[in-house]
Every structure is written in C-alpha cells, then in structure tokens.
Amino acid sequence: MKFGGSSVESADAIKRVAGIVKSQAERNPVVVVSAMGKTTNKLLEMARLAVGQDKDYIHKLDELRRYHWEHGMHAVESSQLEQLTHILESHFSELSQLLHGLAILGELTPRSIDVISSYGERLSSLIVALAFNAQGLPATHIDSRDVLITDDRHTQANPDFKETYKRMKQVVGKAGKKNVVVMGGFIASTSKGQTTTLGRGGSDYSASIIGAGIGADEIQIWTDVDGMMTTDPRLIPHAIPIDSISFAEAAELAYFGAKVLHPATVRPAVEKDIAVVILNSRNPLAPGTRIIKDSVTSEHVVRAFACKRDITLVNIHSATMFMTHGFLRRVFEVFDRYQTSIDMVTTSEVNVSMTVENTEKLSQVKKELEKFADVEVEKKLAIVSIVGNSIGTTEGVAARIFKALETVNVRMISQGASLLNLSIVIAESDLEAAMKALHAEWFGK
C-alpha cells in the first residue's frame, strides 16, 4: 500500500491512512509513504539557496522542522512525544550540517541532491510508523535504504533487482509476519551504502519493487483522485474514471503524462503478474482503477488521453548525410552522450525530427549535431497521446482523431512504434482545445 505526499500531508491525513491500513490489516500490508506534502520541493529549494550563499535556507529549514513537529505531535500519543522529538532533532541536525556544508562548498552534486532529498521520506515513514502504533496498529519501521539496492546513478538510480528481492524476503517478509511494515518510497542505496533515489515520482516505483519482492497479492497506489481517468480532470472536469485497464495501456498513459502513475511502476508488477490498483485515500470507498496484465475489453476503442506540456521539437536536416550508413546512429549517440531522452521520432527523406522533455543539455546536443547537420529547435509544444488496445487495428480511428482536430495545426505524428498509442505534437497553446475536442468525440460533452 503506497500513500503519496497529499495522503500523509497532515496529522488528519495520517490518521485517515491509519484507518485505511487497519481495515486491511489481516492481509499483512507493507506500507510505503512519500514525503509529507511538498517536503521534497522544499528540501531541494533549501539546497539551492545554501549553494547560492542565501541564508534564507536557515529560515526555511526551521519552517520545515515546525511543520513536521506540529503535524507529528497531533498524529501520535503524548507517550510518544519523546520518540518524535528524538527523530526530528537527529534528522534536522544532520540536515542542517549538510546544508551548511553545501553553503561552504558552493556546489550541489547529484549525490548531494539524493542525500538532501532523502530526508522527506525518512521523516515521513518514521512519523507514520509512530502514528500507526498510536492508532492501535502495531507497526515496524524499515529504512528502505537497507533493502532497496541500486547502482550509483544518483537522482535516477537503477535497482539491482536480484539483491533487492533477496533482502526483501529476508528483512521485510520476516518483519511483516508480526507487524505492519512502514517504509519510505523513492529512497534507496548502493551496495556500498551511499544514499540514492529513484527519481521524482519514484515512490510508486518503490512500491512496485517492494510488492514484487515480497510476492504481494496486489499493489495499491493510494492518491487523491478516484483512479485513472479518461483524461486529466484538471483540463476536463467531467473526465470518466476507468475501472480496469491493461498494463500496456497504463504504461503508455503514464509515460505520456498521466500523473496518477509513475511510468516505471508497472514493470516489476508485470514481471510478477501482480495487479496494481489506483485508489483515493480521501474517498476509500471508490472502486478505483485496476491495472492487470491482460487486455481489457471495452466499448470504447480509445481508453484515455494523456498529454505532456513544455515539449521541445528538434528538427535535423542533412541533404548529403541522411541516407548515409550510420547517420541515425550518429544522431542518437549525441543524445546518449548528453543523457537526453527522446519521446518521439519521425523521419523523412532528408530529415529526422524528435521531441525531448529534458532540455538541460540541449544546447550541447545542438552544437554537436551541427557538426554534420542543420538543426532547428522549436519550443512551447505539447504531446497528446490517444491510447487504446485496438487503436492500431480498428478502422476509422485516425479519421475521427483528425476530424476532431480540424482547427488544430499538427506538427508531428507517431504511431508505428505502438499499436495502442497514436501520438501527435501540437502547439502548447492549442492543448486545452485539442483535449476537449478529442474527449468529446469519444466520450461526449
């Protein structure tokens, strides 16, 4: 059972989580929690301030300490306040020293980012474990860094599944026979004990890895929405909940912008054939969305729409080089060298176009590509993905899509890579109108 930041953001929220877990206590749940509220963002902001010699980080650190104290003290019993005080004092003392060190060095490395951002989950998991015991739910805290082992690619570490699953059975499985196990998501460590993280949104991934490692019956992802929807309800308030969806469809939606689920979450679950259920901690009676391995029959060919904003399109033109053996390899090697992931790719006789989301190193990529090709960069674009198991094999789907988008200029189209996803690139300014038109075409106004 994984609970996100909004599910543990306050004392009342934590007590609500305790009630949900208690209702399933006979199933021997392992609970994975994110940092409380927006804690991770605040930690990273403090790190940046410290590196920039801005002493406002001290004030923000005190604010974060008070936030954890005020909600922690109302979530536990008076007899546990001494434990709570010790937890907060020890962790915030370490954190203060780390930030002071960053201020002296004036440099924020990926390894430092992992250590600083780990404190959110470390604190929340300890506080939640105390609160469970206060609510009459016997709980044991396990530091995720002791069992979830990764490589040393800081801020985006890759799990060592063999070693992790071995430790899960030895440590988590044993403890879970007696008490509810509480762990922090997102955080892990190398085999040498260096703190790592699985990337932003990695608590979902942690839960999936842990669920696979202990051979769970199902993996529950508790959020603040009633499951996966036919599109983003912030764009379209009358979006419809999806009761059941295949792993393949869910992965496509997650990768192309559906915020309910981390894109990597489904992989360990698929390998172990464990269902993932998206549920709402603020509305626990809602049925949620069940994600299963096999295809799901639906009256709608299109199951859902997802979108990604702030996309950049890179157009590469080379009349002399394009048909030359090894040209595409050279292009992709440049992106690989600068660790810049590509979402979509299309080619024509003398052009290759691709979209990127992370533009941190795009200027270096462009400079390298210009050694053998002409390069144009377009910004402020968006990807819209239309997902459904039968999209690639059903007649008329593309016609309906482009009829709905008759007033929108489409910059790029991609389908061949996946028979269950047709993606298009449009101007970000057209995104809301495009999403509303597509949703109305398949699900009504």
Side-chain angles (χ1 to χ4, degrees), residues 295-322:
S295 298
V296 178
T297 303
S298 171
E299 62 180 292
H300 296 288
V301 174
V302 172
R303 300 304 309 280
F305 305 94
C307 61
K308 273 186 178 182
R309 300 175 186 268
D310 200 19
I311 294 298
T312 298
L313 181 64
V314 182
N315 295 306
I316 303 163
H317 174 88
S318 178
T320 57
M321 288 286 294
F322 188 72

Side-chain angles (χ1 to χ4, degrees), residues 202-255:
S203 289
D204 288 354
Y205 195 14
S206 294
S208 187
I209 295 167
I210 292 165
I214 65 170
D217 296 325
E218 66 182 22
I219 296 162
Q220 298 178 355
I221 307 292
W222 290 83
T223 66
D224 54 5
V225 294
D226 291 343
M228 298 189 81
M229 314 287 278
T230 48
T231 194
D232 187 341
R234 290 169 297 183
L235 278 174
I236 301 174
H238 54 274
I240 304 164
I242 300 170
D243 57 356
S244 187
I245 192 169
S246 69
F247 277 124
E249 290 171 309
E252 293 283 343
L253 287 169
Y255 183 76

Side-chain angles (χ1 to χ4, degrees), residues 309-344:
R309 300 175 186 268
D310 200 19
I311 294 298
T312 298
L313 181 64
V314 182
N315 295 306
I316 303 163
H317 174 88
S318 178
T320 57
M321 288 286 294
F322 188 72
M323 296 302 290
T324 304
H325 174 73
F327 175 73
L328 286 177
R329 175 182 56 78
R330 288 184 68 185
V331 170
F332 290 120
E333 278 180 348
V334 172
F335 282 88
D336 179 59
R337 196 177 310 136
Y338 290 98
Q339 297 182 328
T340 300
S341 297
I342 298 166
D343 284 328
M344 290 169 55

